[in-house]
Structures are given as structure tokens and as C-alpha cells.
Amino acid sequence: MFWLNWIDRLERKYSRLAVKNLTRYLVIGTAFVFVLSLFGDFRYIASWLTLEPSLVMKGQIWRLVTFVFVPFVGSFWVIFALYIFYTFGMALERYWGSFKFNLYYFIGVLAAIAAAFLGEFWGGRVTSEFLYMSVFLAFAYLNPNYELLLFFIIPVKIKYLAWFDIIFTVLSIIFRPETRIVALLSFTSFIVFFGKEVFDVYLSPRVRKLDRQLRRRKFKVIASSVKTPEIIYTCCICGRTSKEYPELKFAYCFKCGSDYEYCQEHLKNHEHIIRH
């Protein structure tokens, strides 16, 4: 597969640049920013770290990196979000290796940065929210039957939560103008890694089935519009036809040949025509 070869070639060439335990650093950094924001002197620390394209253009380049450490939820939910992200992020890194996990995550980061600059034309903001969801979606695709304790109590298979994730993202694209672009581009990492497989396994058979159904329907329409010509037999003795007398049977005489047709009354009661 082309995309797989492309990723493998990058890994062979640049694997030494991968950040090992990237998930751990992201969680520690986000927790650190959250704890700092609880103190009065650092209450507005997030405003110095969020991704604001207009400020980046003025020289605040660090915002291109630091926005991934800004918590997108507050209070108790930060603990839950970081726990989920740490669990799935570390699992993906163990499964893929550091380089592929780095690549998956940073493709999402680049997509978020692109979304921020595109969204600058009509407003909106970029957070790490959809980066977390992207990692969650990758884990759910690879382990659909993994059971997660929702709120640390309720066991739920992760594939159902993944569908909720997708529905939430789609609804964000439709109803949340401030995150519309970043929500749309949040699928970039997933599409790069799994897009072809999803199409081949799930979408392509359905597309082919739909195409076959459409072809059959088209054939039926064409066939129904074509009228089969009516065949009329005429007795060469009495002149009666199969159209006028549908109750009569008509046939050819094996001695006279197929050039002469007879009704059932004259089939065996006629003077044979000698062919030369």
C-alpha cells in the first residue's frame, strides 16, 4: 500500500527524531498549566499559550506549540480527559512505536494550525479538544471491543463511544461555527492512517452493491421500454391467423418445410408441396 510504504520510509529515515513517551509529556504539560491557572497570579496563563494567528504573525511563535498544553475543559473534567488521553495515547505508542504515534499526533497538530489560520478570516479558536478525540478514534478503530469504565463506573465498549465522538464532531461542524474548521480537519490524521482501509473494507463493497442495484434498475427500465414484436402465424390453406384465432394451434409441415404454415385442422390434411 502506497501510504503504508510512505510512512515506513519516513520511519526508517527519521525514527531517531521521534519523541519517546510523547503522551506522558503532553499530559504532564497540560496538568502543569491547569494547576498554575488555579493560582491568582497565573489565572490568565492560557491567554499566553492559546493559538492566535494574529499574535503569531506579530512574533509570538511559541503559540504554535503551547496551545496543545492548554486544557479545553475545567475542574474535575481535566482529570478525566487527561486519564483517557494518557491511556489511549500510551497504548497507541506501544502498538505503533514512537515514530508513528508522533506522526499521527503531529499531523493533527498541523491540521489544527491550518484550521486556526483558515478560521482567522471569520473568527473561531483552536484547542487541543479535537486532538484528543483523534487519538481516541484511532484507538477505538484498532480495539473496537475494548471496554472502558465510563466515569470510572459504567463499562462501555469503546466502539460505541467512538460513534458518539464522530457524531459530536459532525454536530460541531454543523452547529459550532467557532470550531467548524478545526473539527472538519480533525479527521486528517485518521484519514491518512486508516482512510484507504476504511474505504476498502466498509465503503467500497457498499458502493459496488449500490452500483449493481442501479445498473439492474436501469436494465429493467430499458428492458421494459423495449416491446417484443408480435409473431403472427397464417395458415396457407384457410388463411386464418393466430391473432384472429388465438385458440388454434399453428405449426410447420416437416415435408413442406418452414416456408408454409398450417393451422391444426390443415396440418395433416393438405396436399404436400414438393420442393425442388
Side-chain angles (χ1 to χ4, degrees):
M1 295 171 62
F2 171 77
W3 69 270
L4 186 59
N5 292 336
W6 169 67
I7 292 176
D8 289 340
R9 285 199 298 270
L10 284 179
E11 183 174 19
R12 286 194 294 269
K13 192 172 183 180
Y14 299 108
S15 59
R16 67 184 184 281
L17 302 178
V19 179
K20 295 183 178 180
N21 299 315
L22 175 63
T23 304
R24 185 174 301 167
Y25 296 130
L26 291 170
V27 169
I28 292 173
T30 304
F32 180 72
V33 171
F34 174 72
V35 172
L36 277 181
S37 67
L38 299 178
F39 296 93
D41 294 340
F42 299 97
R43 185 181 307 170
Y44 303 107
I45 187 173
S47 63
W48 285 89
L49 304 177
T50 54
L51 181 54
E52 300 288 343
S54 59
L55 296 177
V56 172
M57 298 301 291
K58 293 180 181 179
Q60 298 183 17
I61 305 298
W62 67 83
R63 293 177 181 271
L64 294 173
V65 176
T66 57
F67 81 94
V68 302
F69 298 108
V70 178
F72 62 90
V73 290
S75 141
F76 166 80
W77 296 105
V78 171
I79 300 175
F80 180 71
L82 291 180
Y83 165 75
I84 294 295
F85 180 70
Y86 181 81
T87 301
F88 298 149
M90 291 300 293
L92 284 176
E93 186 168 353
R94 286 193 295 269
Y95 178 75
W96 277 335
S98 296
F99 178 82
K100 287 183 179 178
F101 178 73
N102 277 220
L103 182 64
Y104 184 89
Y105 184 80
F106 286 123
I107 287 175
V109 171
L110 292 177
I113 293 173
F117 280 88
L118 289 173
E120 184 72 6
F121 292 104
W122 54 83
R125 63 189 182 87
V126 171
T127 67
S128 58
E129 175 182 10
F130 292 102
L131 291 174
Y132 281 38
M133 287 189 176
S134 177
V135 170
F136 170 76
L137 194 59
F139 182 88
Y141 181 78
L142 294 171
N143 305 274
N145 294 316
Y146 178 86
E147 283 195 352
L148 173 70
L149 291 178
L150 190 62
F151 305 116
F152 306 104
I153 300 174
I154 307 172
V156 181
K157 286 189 177 181
I158 200 171
K159 60 184 177 182
Y160 302 122
L161 296 178
W163 278 112
F164 176 80
D165 182 358
I166 294 172
I167 292 172
F168 175 80
T169 304
V170 172
L171 291 177
S172 296
I173 295 172
I174 299 173
F175 298 111
R176 296 173 63 190
E178 73 277 6
T179 60
R180 181 168 295 162
I181 300 301
V182 67
L184 182 63
L185 294 182
S186 66
F187 291 111
T188 303
S189 297
F190 186 85
I191 291 173
V192 170
F193 272 68
F194 304 108
K196 189 178 186 306
E197 182 178 339
V198 169
F199 180 80
D200 290 342
V201 176
Y202 298 102
L203 298 180
S204 183
R206 288 172 171 79
V207 171
R208 289 196 295 267
K209 182 178 179 181
L210 179 61
D211 181 63
R212 287 195 299 268
Q213 291 175 344
L214 292 175
R215 288 176 181 272
R216 282 198 294 267
R217 290 179 183 177
K218 185 178 180 181
F219 175 78
K220 289 180 180 178
V221 171
I222 294 175
S224 63
S225 63
V226 176
K227 295 183 179 180
T228 304
E230 183 180 5
I231 301 176
I232 301 175
Y233 299 98
T234 304
C235 178
C236 62
I237 301 297
C238 63
R240 288 182 295 183
T241 65
S242 58
K243 184 176 182 181
E244 296 173 342
Y245 301 90
E247 72 279 2
L248 293 178
K249 294 182 179 179
F250 293 79
Y252 299 104
C253 174
F254 73 94
K255 291 184 178 181
C256 298
S258 60
D259 292 333
Y260 302 94
E261 300 167 348
Y262 300 95
C263 66
Q264 63 188 41
E265 295 180 3
H266 297 104
L267 180 60
K268 296 182 179 180
N269 182 22
H270 67 274
E271 184 179 347
H272 295 294
I273 299 173
I274 300 175
R275 293 173 293 174
H276 296 285

